[in-house]
Amino acid sequence: MTGALVDVEMHRALQAGLVVSYSPSMVFFNWGGCDEMDELSGDGHAELLDDGSMEITFAYHNGDEAILKATRDTSSRAC
């Protein structure tokens, strides 16, 4: 997927396009889009950690950064 363009829409608050490259345990991306008519851009990465969790970093070009951490729900109950 190196150089692939992916369109993303999150709850209609952020619309962005992604350019993606990857390694065995990490995905790197540059993004650009709009949030309430303001142009935004940045980069980031998602990493699969040794314990099976995932850490996703979004860095805005104005210096702000958001880090999300996700773990797999191991519940065996039916949906």
Side-chain angles (χ1 to χ4, degrees), residues 31 40-43 57-67:
W31 59 271
L40 299 171
S41 63
D43 55 39
T57 301
F58 292 95
Y60 291 80
H61 282 172
N62 68 2
D64 290 340
E65 185 175 88
I67 299 174

Side-chain angles (χ1 to χ4, degrees), residues 33-46:
C34 294
D35 180 16
E36 297 182 6
M37 302 304 291
D38 294 326
E39 288 189 33
L40 299 171
S41 63
D43 55 39
H45 64 275

